[in-house]
Amino acid sequence: ACFLCADIAWRRNSLMSIEVLTRRLPPRLEKACRLVNYLIIMLFLIYVIGMGVWLSWISRERSFQGIPEVSYSWVTMSMPVGACLLLITAVLKVRAEFR
């Protein structure tokens, strides 16, 4: 739920932001700062996807809440799936910047 809510909020531009410094910059420099920020976010999300898949793989034999039929990997897959949704949103934001 946390990843889904973050993705919805970011798509609606409802996330908290501090624009004290960037609003005083020229428009081209402000856009460059936004693009660098998106790049950093995308690199982090790619890392989270990779590590989340690895975490899901190593926890595949652990049972969820003691239920033998349900693997804990189903829980840990929420991290890479949510990061993938956020990565799609980040790519859409970068694409919108160039339009």
Side-chain angles (χ1 to χ4, degrees), residues 3 48-62 64 71-83:
F3 286 109
V48 168
I49 291 168
M51 289 296 107
V53 169
W54 178 75
L55 180 64
S56 295
W57 178 254
I58 64 169
S59 64
R60 69 189 182 279
E61 294 185 19
R62 179 179 170 196
F64 178 67
S71 172
Y72 197 72
S73 290
W74 288 103
V75 176
T76 56
M77 275 304 290
S78 67
M79 188 169 68
V81 170

Side-chain angles (χ1 to χ4, degrees), residues 7 10 41-43 45-46 49 82-92:
D7 188 45
W10 198 17
I41 289 170
M42 289 191 304
L43 290 173
L45 289 172
I46 290 168
I49 291 168
C84 189
L85 292 173
L86 286 166
L87 183 62
I88 291 168
T89 301
V91 169
L92 292 175

Side-chain angles (χ1 to χ4, degrees), residues 17-27 29-31 33-34:
S17 64
I18 301 171
E19 300 171 342
V20 174
L21 296 175
T22 58
R23 287 290 176 201
R24 296 180 181 173
L25 297 174
L29 195 53
E30 184 180 353
K31 183 177 180 176
C33 284
R34 250 191 329 270

